[in-house]
Amino acid sequence: MQDLDTHLGGRRPFGLSYWPMAEDDPGVDIPRESIRLVSPDGALVRGVLWTPPGGRPWKTAVILSHPRGDFSVHYACPLLAAAGYAVLGFSTRYINNDIDCLHENCIVDVRTAYDEMKRRGAEAVVLLGNSGGGSLMAMANAELGIGDGWIGMAAHPGEGVFMLQVIDPSVADEHDPFSTVPELDMYNPDNGWRPWPEPCTYDPEWVRRYRAAQIERVARIDAVAKASIADATDAGERLRGIDRTSDAAGWRELRRRTVFTQYLTIYRTLADPAYLDLSIDPDERPMGSLFAFPDPFDANYGRAGLSRVMTARGWLSTWSGLSSHAKLADTMPQVAVPTILVHPTADTEIRVWQAKEIVDAAGAADTTYVEMKGAPHYLEGHRKEALATVADWLAKRFP
């Protein structure tokens, strides 16, 4: 395949495990076209359109994206294109930065990509969501009515729901990253923790309290975010009653409060006891997390991490499991198009029961659930098999 390093990830940037690897090469040259689109509200949507080899005609398009990931070079693209489909992998306006990510805007970007493939002659457009892209694509279908099919590849229940299971509930003070409620700390030896790589053992009753405390922490952050937005809204309403010519000082004060955006620093967001105690929701996963290298303890306190800095509205829209509308529990009942979920059973982030729950919640009469035994989250070593399964599923439903 031409331009292997650029389009097949010969040397992938660190952390972009969803990019193709050399062994994902389908063995035929796949035409590619860089795509640049502008959404109706002026956002830039960029991607790569992969089409069948040899100029073969196509009738069905598959589009895939993620709230912040660049899916223009995703392992599914070359494999599905080789199977005869046009595949548009693209990034939303929030690529590599979800500080102010609004799923309500992300689905506008999905609609933009969908409309482009229809403009190019697609008789059907199927939505593919990998990881956090699953909830994005389900929300696009549920709220905008777009998409003739829904494919989930290691799709989790939603970024906010995922945060509910990984956020550290032992944070005592949101302004102090080291403040700790000891009895809620999964990294406290008194609660069953042992230093990596020793396995940990957490009491089931303690885990139940821990899960409840995670919800309580998210609710506290939600309250701060909602109060900030309410204050800005109130200031905006009062601003309408101020004449900026006669009362410049009063107008200035209310204006700055109206446009103010509160930024939330959210410490310690990698603390799921199931990472270290494999007796919790047992499956085929190894210890640890794909977000940790290798010890979740270090990643919980270290640099980077999920949703560490968010605007108030970005938190509520994307990472709050209590407030986000991008929850598959809410959207899947409205997804009535043919649905398939491919779940890797060695995924460190998504439990088997969660995957089955997603499919069971679907509003479609036509649902398919497939397990890739022993596969990790990004299906390394299992990608050709997984995409062959998807291609077969597509062929039976779409030309």
Side-chain angles (χ1 to χ4, degrees), residues 203-337:
D203 179 76
E205 180 56 37
W206 179 88
V207 172
R208 282 190 285 272
R209 293 196 303 271
Y210 187 92
R211 297 302 191 199
Q214 288 178 304
I215 295 173
E216 291 168 3
R217 184 182 176 201
V218 169
R220 291 194 298 270
I221 298 172
D222 276 19
V224 172
K226 290 177 179 179
S228 174
I229 292 172
D231 287 346
T233 301
D234 177 68
E237 292 173 352
R238 290 187 287 140
L239 180 64
R240 288 195 288 269
I242 299 290
D243 181 80
R244 62 180 174 181
T245 301
S246 60
D247 186 3
W251 183 90
R252 170 190 176 275
E253 179 62 21
L254 288 176
R255 179 61 180 169
R256 68 176 184 172
R257 292 183 180 277
T258 299
V259 301
F260 174 72
T261 297
Q262 181 164 355
Y263 286 80
L264 307 171
T265 302
I266 303 163
Y267 295 110
R268 290 156 50 188
T269 58
L270 204 68
D272 183 355
Y275 285 148
L276 301 179
D277 183 348
L278 299 183
S279 72
I280 299 173
D281 297 325
D283 51 22
E284 298 175 336
R285 70 186 185 274
M287 278 207 327
S289 166
L290 65 86
F291 299 108
F293 305 98
D295 185 356
F297 172 83
D298 291 348
N300 193 48
Y301 284 90
R303 293 182 293 113
L306 301 172
S307 75
R308 290 298 175 87
V309 179
M310 298 292 299
T311 63
R313 67 178 192 170
W315 165 263
L316 293 171
S317 176
T318 294
W319 285 111
S320 168
L322 303 179
S323 298
S324 173
H325 296 297
K327 292 185 289 188
L328 289 178
D330 295 337
T331 57
M332 285 306 292
Q334 302 174 64
V335 177
V337 295

Side-chain angles (χ1 to χ4, degrees), residues 338-355:
T339 293
I340 181 173
L341 177 62
V342 178
H343 176 68
T345 61
D347 194 332
T348 58
E349 312 307 316
I350 306 165
R351 311 295 165 246
V352 172
W353 68 266
Q354 291 177 313

Side-chain angles (χ1 to χ4, degrees), residues 131-190:
S131 193
S135 52
L136 170 61
M137 291 301 180
M139 184 178 178
N141 178 269
E143 296 200 3
L144 302 181
I146 60 173
D148 299 289
W150 182 88
I151 301 168
M153 304 280 295
H156 58 61
E159 291 189 297
V161 179
F162 178 74
M163 179 56 62
L164 277 175
Q165 75 187 40
V166 299
I167 198 166
D168 188 339
S170 70
V171 172
D173 181 349
E174 294 296 335
H175 301 289
D176 180 358
F178 297 107
S179 65
T180 303
V181 179
E183 58 269 26
L184 291 176
D185 185 3
M186 69 168 274
Y187 298 112
N188 184 338
D190 292 341

